[in-house]
Amino acid sequence: MKRIVLFAILLSTAIGYTQTTLTYEKPPVFNECDSEAIDQLKSCFNFKLNTFIYENFEVPQVVTDESYKGDVQVLFEVNKEGEFKVIYLDAIYDALKDESKRVFDLLPKITPATYNGNPTFVQYSITIAIPLVEPIRKADNATDGVKLTEKDSLNATLSNEFDNVNKELKNFENLEYSSELNVPFTHAYYARFDAEMNVIGTNSHTAAKPFVYSDVARYYDIKAEKENLAINGDTWLGRKLFNEHLVQVQGKDYWFTVDPILDLQVGKDSEAEFNSTYNNTRGIYIQAGLGKHFNLTTSVYESQGRFADYYNHYAESLKAFGPDPAIIPGRGIAKRFKDNSYDYPVAEAYLSYTPADFLNVQFGHGKNFIGDGYRSLFQSDVASPYPFLKLNTTFWKIKYTSTWMWLKDVRPEVVVDKAFLTKYMANHYLSWNVSKRLNVGLFESVMWADTNGRGFDINYLNPIIFFRAIEFETGQGAGNAILGLSSKYKWNNKLNLYGQFILDEFSLGDVKAGDKSWKNKFGFQLGAKYFNAFKVDNLLLQAEYNRVRPYTYSHNTQILNYGHFNQPMAHLWGANFRELVLIGRYNYKRWSADAKFIIGQRGFDFNTDEDSFSYGGDIYRDYNDRNADTGIEIGQGNKTNSFMTEVQASYLINPATNLKIFGNIIYRDFNPDTVTASTTDSNTVWVSFGVRTDLFNWYKDF
């Protein structure tokens, strides 16, 4: 994997030079060509280069002895100082590569290419034919002037095919910022344009995430933001490090970018036996556009890490069937690395197609989020990536999102022939801007499993249908349907109020009886955002309260719970909790700071021989294992109070790639009433520093 990533970066670097060759006005010039007319300089350059190679190239003896006929491929650069630099060589014999390198090292320093009168670098490919053929420069015709003809192939002329491709290339215009690609979803970055998308009177829909760039572009100019953050870079390395994608190529009907991915962290955990923590992620991130309506992106990560003890314990509690010891939350299965660390590869990708202005279709492997808050009670991005198909339909004052997902139950008891059980999830979310200030959303979701040969139920493929009715038709035990209602109110251009209500099951009779029945499985969220708080530009303050009753999201058929890879698909804490979240975010140019405070109360199971009941917090437990039918309250079971604060400061190294350097401090106080094997008392300070390509949310507030 390391070699693949390294090769891809090196190769993409070479491709990146190709784009730059389009900008020069005058090619490099040998001293012997000084007297040539400007339209003959390229022809003269070709001839002088070919002649030099012909006169200095010594065919290795092994090539002569074996009567080899072929060629040597050379990719080279003439830099701003007029020096020849070999970038890449390819030949069947190493001796041919060595000889080609030797000849290029002998080339004299020449006058470099210029753009607007300023020296610049250019890059070419060349093919050296073996056996050598003497180049001939002759007049071709009056209009074309003097040039090498095809039969003059030392075949060391600049590749015609390569040049023809170059003619199609354009200056890179950052088309990604108006494309149908997703804006990488992180709460911190979305906060930069949250205020603009929530101005009174805008017809934006902000719950279904991630957003596509073209949707955001109507309210916020991401391209201008990135360009305004640019730092003057006089060198290629400076531009690539601080302003641009490593590779950025644009042609007539296509564009693509290639960037390395990094997440390199070191830190300390105050509680751990091995109190040093680290993360070492390397990868590659590719974005592309083909025509006006088709986009794609892919990212591949290879990672090793060791985290704070509380995080490691949680990761190991998620362990899947098989020898691997953990699932890294939000990422995937991890195998053991050395004695106390994890190795966890991740790959994400999707295709985005927009056949009409009102419809966007995405198919890929990744995550989705529905909500205006930090948490979501409908669908969150806390679980590992999964395959999905998503349709976004926008018309009038409505946005309608349909998503179908292929999930996995990885518990040992449901594994068949060492294969994880496939389960399916389908969501509908309708967002309606009722007025200039009020938005209302309707949500429904159903979960079903690949049991008894059922497979993917075609009944749920219809994007305009009520899942609860289908659940009754197919048998109430065949699926787990959930309903939701959301709302957002723009109090003014600085203050937004939002909320969600999730309903898993409800008994009106039990509510009237006032006996707190277990059947009343529901939760709600209330939140507020204050933009440009206290007249401070780019300061966002957010307060959010979440409350979910016991047994919500669980099912009597355990595989139908609202989970994937042993992780919840909604709130990180599952159920049976109340939580207050306070967040402050501020950014100034390339600097940003975030502070988060979370105060919560949760109810855990005891998981002992004396008390093996389910108290409703673990969504993977059968709700028939409950401790009682009535008197069900939030926090029942092993009541645990927790407090967590996380403060992070960062500097954006490269706006184009979201590469940042950061420092992070987490304080976590976790106090169960009863200490058990699975629920331990903890008081942690976790300090981390690093550099990261920030493309996704990484939650550490368990």
Side-chain angles (χ1 to χ4, degrees):
M1 174 65 185
K2 295 177 182 177
R3 293 180 179 177
I4 293 173
V5 172
L6 178 60
F7 176 75
I9 292 172
L10 291 175
L11 180 59
S12 60
T13 303
I15 296 173
Y17 281 111
T18 304
Q19 180 206 357
T20 310
T21 64
L22 299 174
T23 59
Y24 71 82
E25 294 179 340
K26 185 178 179 181
V29 181
F30 282 92
N31 291 339
E32 297 86 342
C33 300
D34 278 340
S35 60
E36 296 280 349
I38 193 166
D39 60 348
Q40 301 301 316
L41 289 179
K42 184 174 181 180
S43 174
C44 186
F45 175 84
N46 290 344
F47 178 71
K48 291 299 180 183
L49 176 60
N50 297 339
T51 301
F52 185 91
I53 293 173
Y54 179 79
E55 293 175 349
N56 291 275
F57 198 98
E58 298 177 4
V59 178
Q61 189 62 43
V62 63
V63 176
T64 303
D65 292 345
E66 297 185 11
S67 302
Y68 172 71
K69 293 183 179 181
D71 57 49
V72 183
Q73 301 289 332
V74 185
L75 187 69
F76 69 94
E77 171 189 322
V78 181
N79 64 21
K80 293 197 298 185
E81 286 71 41
E83 299 168 337
F84 286 82
K85 302 290 185 182
V86 173
I87 298 171
Y88 178 74
L89 284 164
D90 191 21
I92 192 171
Y93 295 96
D94 287 339
L96 284 174
K97 296 181 186 178
D98 293 340
E99 178 59 17
S100 300
K101 178 67 167 58
R102 185 191 70 83
V103 171
F104 269 81
D105 286 344
L106 294 175
L107 280 161
K109 192 172 183 178
I110 65 174
T111 303
T114 58
Y115 173 64
N116 288 341
N118 298 315
T120 188
F121 61 88
V122 289
Q123 180 259 320
Y124 298 112
S125 69
I126 194 170
T127 303
I128 304 174
I130 306 296
L132 299 174
V133 179
E134 184 176 4
I136 302 171
R137 188 180 186 202
K138 62 182 182 181
D140 210 26
N141 54 52
T143 56
D144 287 343
V146 181
K147 67 177 186 180
L148 293 175
T149 62
E150 290 184 12
K151 69 179 182 131
D152 297 329
S153 60
L154 170 60
N155 234 339
T157 59
L158 298 175
S159 166
N160 289 332
E161 181 180 4
F162 190 83
D163 286 342
N164 288 338
V165 172
N166 278 352
K167 291 176 183 178
E168 295 181 0
L169 298 179
K170 305 176 180 180
N171 291 330
F172 195 74
E173 299 174 1
N174 291 307
L175 294 179
E176 63 185 290
Y177 302 134
S178 58
S179 72
E180 303 305 317
L181 285 176
N182 293 332
V183 183
F185 175 44
T186 68
H187 292 291
Y189 183 63
Y190 274 43
R192 285 178 175 260
F193 47 81
D194 207 355
E196 284 78 3
M197 295 191 69
N198 282 288
V199 172
I200 293 174
T202 58
N203 194 30
S204 62
H205 299 269
T206 57
K209 299 179 176 74
F211 305 145
V212 297
Y213 280 106
S214 61
D215 284 345
V216 178
R218 290 197 286 268
Y219 311 103
Y220 184 80
D221 194 337
I222 293 181
K223 180 179 178 180
E225 176 208 31
K226 304 283 189 180
E227 292 175 349
N228 289 338
L229 292 174
I231 297 174
N232 291 333
D234 295 332
T235 65
W236 177 87
L237 180 61
R239 295 196 310 273
K240 296 303 176 183
L241 180 60
F242 295 110
N243 297 325
E244 299 178 1
H245 297 285
L246 176 62
V247 176
Q248 47 186 36
V249 175
Q250 183 180 333
K252 181 179 179 181
D253 294 312
Y254 63 90
W255 64 269
F256 66 89
T257 66
V258 183
D259 293 293
I261 295 172
L262 296 174
D263 189 352
L264 309 176
Q265 303 181 29
V266 293
K268 290 284 188 180
D269 171 18
S270 63
E271 282 195 317
E273 178 182 356
F274 301 96
N275 66 354
S276 63
T277 65
Y278 75 93
N279 189 69
N280 176 19
T281 294
R282 298 87 54 220
I284 190 167
Y285 182 53
I286 300 172
Q287 301 178 101
L290 302 174
K292 296 181 179 180
H293 305 295
F294 188 80
N295 297 102
L296 61 92
T297 186
T298 183
S299 55
V300 181
Y301 303 79
E302 183 172 325
S303 307
Q304 295 82 39
R306 178 175 64 243
F307 312 98
D309 255 12
Y310 81 89
Y311 191 95
N312 296 336
H313 290 156
Y314 182 70
E316 293 185 7
S317 75
L318 301 176
K319 179 184 180 328
F321 169 80
D324 299 316
I327 293 177
I328 303 301
R331 308 312 291 149
I333 291 178
K335 64 182 180 181
R336 180 63 66 194
F337 178 71
K338 297 184 177 179
D339 293 331
N340 51 24
S341 302
Y342 308 103
D343 189 316
Y344 58 104
V346 181
E348 298 184 67
Y350 65 89
L351 306 175
S352 179
Y353 177 58
T354 306
D357 291 341
F358 62 86
L359 178 64
N360 174 253
V361 182
Q362 294 188 11
F363 177 67
H365 188 266
K367 297 190 279 189
N368 296 279
F369 187 99
I370 298 177
D372 286 290
Y374 174 69
R375 309 289 199 188
S376 174
L377 305 186
F378 295 171
Q379 179 178 357
S380 187
D381 59 342
V382 300
S384 301
Y386 45 81
F388 68 90
L389 172 65
K390 180 165 69 173
L391 276 63
N392 278 316
T393 306
T394 307
F395 60 95
W396 189 51
K397 302 176 182 180
I398 287 176
K399 181 174 183 178
Y400 188 66
T401 302
S402 299
T403 313
W404 296 268
M405 291 148 281
W406 287 256
L407 311 178
K408 294 291 183 181
D409 192 324
V410 299
R411 294 172 299 131
E413 53 265 38
V414 298
V415 169
V416 178
D417 296 329
K418 298 183 179 180
F420 299 142
L421 178 69
T422 300
K423 53 196 289 189
Y424 306 96
M425 182 175 175
N427 289 348
H428 294 158
Y429 182 72
L430 186 149
S431 173
W432 175 29
N433 287 326
V434 180
S435 70
K436 293 181 179 181
R437 296 175 183 266
L438 178 64
N439 173 274
V440 173
L442 301 175
F443 174 79
E444 63 171 347
S445 177
V446 66
M447 186 83 69
W448 75 99
D450 189 5
T451 55
N452 301 320
R454 183 181 185 190
F456 188 92
D457 194 329
I458 196 70
N459 286 294
Y460 296 118
L461 191 59
N462 191 327
I464 309 172
I465 202 166
F466 291 101
F467 290 148
R468 181 65 77 174
I470 293 298
E471 184 196 12
F472 273 94
E473 288 182 8
T474 56
Q476 294 186 51
N480 181 14
I482 290 176
L483 300 176
L485 174 69
S486 69
S487 182
K488 180 180 66 177
Y489 186 75
K490 303 172 185 177
W491 188 272
N492 53 43
N493 287 337
K494 286 191 172 184
L495 182 62
N496 267 11
L497 308 177
Y498 62 89
Q500 290 183 336
F501 178 79
I502 190 76
L503 179 62
D504 189 357
E505 193 170 345
F506 188 74
S507 172
L508 182 60
D510 288 324
V511 170
K512 291 181 178 180
D515 55 5
K516 300 180 180 178
S517 170
W518 75 276
K519 294 180 182 179
N520 294 320
K521 299 186 293 179
F522 61 86
F524 66 86
Q525 174 188 90
L526 295 174
K529 292 180 181 179
Y530 183 18
F531 305 114
N532 299 317
F534 306 112
K535 298 182 180 180
V536 178
D537 289 343
N538 304 316
L539 174 62
L540 169 64
L541 300 180
Q542 182 177 0
E544 180 176 302
Y545 180 73
N546 297 291
R547 177 186 176 103
V548 177
R549 279 184 53 79
Y551 309 109
T552 307
Y553 304 118
S554 62
H555 201 270
N556 61 352
T557 304
Q558 289 170 269
I559 57 176
L560 299 182
N561 62 52
Y562 209 64
H564 163 63
F565 258 70
N566 289 339
Q567 301 157 81
M569 284 294 288
H571 195 289
L572 184 66
W573 290 0
N576 191 11
F577 68 85
R578 55 174 63 90
E579 172 197 44
L580 175 64
V581 181
L582 302 174
I583 297 174
R585 304 189 191 278
Y586 176 73
N587 66 85
Y588 175 74
K589 296 183 178 179
R590 294 194 178 209
W591 294 94
S592 63
D594 300 89
K596 178 171 56 184
F597 303 88
I598 299 176
I599 304 168
Q601 185 178 83
R602 305 161 70 179
F604 290 93
D605 298 338
F606 291 98
N607 292 320
T608 64
D609 293 337
E610 295 77 18
D611 191 342
S612 60
F613 292 113
S614 168
Y615 287 91
D618 184 355
I619 68 171
Y620 275 84
R621 292 289 302 271
D622 182 343
Y623 58 55
N624 286 330
D625 294 337
R626 60 188 177 273
N627 63 307
D629 290 341
T630 58
I632 304 301
E633 295 181 340
I634 290 176
Q636 67 175 15
N638 191 3
K639 183 180 294 185
T640 301
N641 294 314
S642 65
F643 172 78
M644 181 174 182
T645 181
E646 181 174 6
V647 179
Q648 182 176 118
S650 64
Y651 177 79
L652 189 61
I653 299 173
N654 189 327
T657 62
N658 289 323
L659 179 68
K660 61 173 62 174
I661 185 170
F662 69 91
N664 191 76
I665 301 175
I666 291 176
Y667 171 72
R668 178 179 181 266
D669 187 32
F670 193 80
N671 294 299
D673 284 350
T674 303
V675 174
T676 68
S678 58
T679 310
T680 59
D681 187 83
S682 175
N683 190 280
T684 302
V685 177
W686 183 10
V687 181
S688 300
F689 300 92
V691 57
R692 182 185 184 204
T693 306
D694 204 13
L695 299 177
F696 59 88
N697 290 309
W698 195 322
Y699 301 94
K700 298 175 181 176
D701 38 26
F702 304 112

